[in-house]
Amino acid sequence: MTDTKKPLETNRRNFIAGSAAAVSTFFIGRPKAHAGDAEITLKFATVAPSGTPWSKHTSRLKKRVKEGTDGRVRVKVYLGGALGDENSTISRCRKGGIAGWAGTTAALASIIPEFAALELPYLFPNASVADDILDNRVTAHLERMLKKAGFKLLFCSENGDRSIGTNFGFVKSTADLRGKKMRSQQHDVHQNTWRALGASPQPIPVTEAMTALQTGVVDGFDNTPLFTFAASWFQAITHFTLTRHSYQPAMAVMNLDVWNSLPADVQELIAGDFKKESAYGRKKVRAIKQQLIDNFSAAGIQVHKSTASELAAFAKATKPTHKKFTDKYGTSLYKAITKHI
C-alpha cells in the first residue's frame, strides 16, 4: 500500500535538516579567525543561538575590540544559552561571574522588575515609536536604573514582536486559548498576559522550552518568528498566529565593576556609539522579518495574520495587565513611556 503521507513528511524532514545551515548562512556567514593570547578576556552570555542577527552583532563587537586593542582584550561570547538561561546568566553578570550579557528586557526585569513595563501587551503602536522612546525619551531613565542594579548599558536592540505558535490551530480569539497550557517567560507581565488571553501560563526557561513543546507539557508558546526559527521551536508547532501582542526590546549590558575597571580606550571600543549600535542591531533583525514569516509555509506551518478587529479584541482583553503591573511595580517608567505614545 502506498503511504500518501510520505512525501509531505519527507519534505518537512528535508526542510528541518537543512534549516540550520540555511539560516546560519543567511544570518552570519563564516566565523572569524581564532583570537590570539589576550591580557583580558571578557565573557559575554546570551541565549541567542548561532545564526541570528544577535550573533552577528556580538561578532562585530568582538572584532572591533580585538582589532582596536591589537588582541590585548578578547570578548568571548557564549551563544545559545551555553552558560545558562537568561535569568541565571543575568544574575551571574550582576555578581561579576560573567562580564557582559545580551538578552530580553523580561530577563532584566528579574532583577529590575519595573523594566517589564517595556513588554506590556500592545504598549507601542509601531516600531518607530518604540525606537524613539528607547533611544531618546527614556534612555537616561533606563541607564540610572541599570547603574543602581550594577550594570552598564551598552546598546538596545530587539527580539521583536511576539506572536503565538501552537500545535492546535490558529488563535483568533481568547476562546481559542481556553484550557491551553502555553509556555511563558517567567516574569508576571507575560504570565498575566496569557491569563488575560484565556490561557494557562507555564513559566519555562528558554533552555527547557523545546523539550516541553515536544513532550506535550505545553500546547504552544509566544515568541518572534526570528527566535522561533533560530531556536528550532517551529518543529513543534503546526500553526503560527501573527498577534504581535508584545514588542520585546533587548539590551546588551556589562557588570558595572568590570566596566569601571577597564581603561577608557577599551570602554570606548566596547560601547561604540549607543544610537548607531542600537540602529544596527534592529536593522539586522527587521531586514529578515518577512522572509522568516514566509519560511513558515516552507516548513509546513500555517500562518494567520490577525485582523484589525481581532487585534482590537486582544488589546482590550489584555489592557488590565497594565494596571496590574503599575499597582505592583510603580508607575515611574510606565508614565515615562506612555506620555510619548
Side-chain angles (χ1 to χ4, degrees):
M1 180 180 293
T2 301
D3 185 351
T4 58
K5 294 183 179 180
K6 187 174 181 180
L8 176 60
E9 292 171 349
T10 300
N11 288 341
R12 186 176 176 84
R13 285 197 300 271
N14 288 341
F15 177 89
I16 292 170
S19 63
V23 169
S24 179
T25 299
F26 183 76
F27 285 132
I28 59 172
R30 298 188 178 278
K32 304 298 180 185
H34 181 67
D37 293 338
E39 297 173 17
I40 301 172
T41 298
L42 302 170
K43 291 184 180 180
F44 274 63
T46 179
V47 298
S50 175
T52 63
W54 273 92
S55 65
K56 184 169 185 177
H57 204 161
T58 54
S59 291
R60 165 184 160 112
L61 169 62
K62 288 165 56 178
K63 181 180 180 181
R64 184 170 69 236
V65 172
K66 178 186 175 183
E67 292 180 350
T69 63
D70 293 325
R72 180 167 50 93
V73 180
R74 179 189 182 198
V75 174
K76 184 173 177 58
V77 181
Y78 293 83
L79 298 166
L83 295 183
D85 62 64
E86 281 199 321
N87 285 9
S88 65
T89 49
I90 190 59
S91 177
R92 287 176 63 189
C93 183
R94 185 187 194 187
K95 297 172 184 176
I98 300 170
W101 178 93
T104 63
T105 43
L108 278 167
S110 67
I111 293 174
I112 312 170
E114 202 174 352
F115 258 54
L118 293 161
E119 300 191 18
L120 284 163
Y122 300 105
L123 177 65
F124 298 108
N126 55 57
S128 296
V129 170
D131 293 350
D132 178 57
I133 289 172
L134 287 165
D135 293 350
N136 302 307
R137 312 297 181 181
V138 300
T139 316
H141 194 130
L142 297 174
E143 287 177 329
R144 286 194 299 271
M145 296 169 74
L146 284 165
K147 185 175 182 179
K148 185 176 180 180
F151 297 107
K152 163 66 179 176
L153 175 63
L154 300 181
F155 59 82
C156 293
S157 185
E158 66 180 26
N159 186 22
D161 293 311
R162 298 175 73 94
S163 290
I164 299 175
T166 67
N167 61 15
F168 57 80
F170 293 128
V171 177
K172 296 184 178 182
S173 72
T174 56
D176 295 325
L177 286 168
R178 193 170 298 128
K180 302 298 184 183
K181 294 181 178 180
M182 303 296 287
R183 183 266 167 180
S184 174
Q185 281 204 245
Q186 292 154 289
H187 195 280
D188 58 9
V189 158
H190 290 271
Q191 294 184 61
N192 286 337
T193 298
W194 277 124
R195 293 186 186 103
L197 289 170
S200 173
Q202 308 296 308
I204 298 171
V206 163
T207 50
E208 300 172 22
M210 187 61 172
T211 300
L213 288 162
Q214 291 174 326
T215 57
V217 171
V218 291
D219 302 303
F221 61 88
D222 74 320
N223 218 304
T224 63
L226 168 64
F227 197 87
T228 298
F229 278 100
S232 296
W233 291 4
F234 72 94
Q235 297 181 29
I237 60 173
T238 57
H239 294 72
F240 198 81
T241 306
L242 295 169
T243 54
R244 296 188 173 99
H245 56 273
S246 174
Y247 174 73
Q248 187 167 56
M251 297 179 184
V253 301
M254 280 192 68
N255 173 278
L256 188 60
D257 289 337
V258 173
W259 170 263
N260 287 334
S261 72
L262 297 172
D265 63 323
V266 177
Q267 290 180 342
E268 185 176 349
L269 286 166
I270 292 173
D273 180 281
F274 175 81
K275 289 188 178 181
K276 288 181 179 178
E277 289 297 313
S278 299
Y280 173 87
R282 294 178 188 131
K283 182 178 179 180
K284 290 296 180 184
V285 172
R286 293 170 188 175
I288 55 174
K289 185 182 297 185
Q290 187 57 50
Q291 181 170 340
L292 289 167
I293 293 172
D294 294 341
N295 281 349
F296 282 113
S297 296
I301 298 165
Q302 298 182 59
V303 178
H304 172 67
K305 182 178 179 181
S306 299
T307 65
S309 61
E310 289 167 353
L311 292 175
F314 289 141
K316 182 178 179 180
T318 57
K319 184 63 177 177
T321 64
H322 291 227
K323 189 173 187 305
K324 284 185 179 181
F325 175 85
T326 55
D327 284 350
K328 184 173 182 178
Y329 298 112
T331 61
S332 178
L333 180 58
Y334 182 79
K335 286 184 175 180
I337 295 167
T338 54
K339 74 179 183 180
H340 298 294
I341 295 176

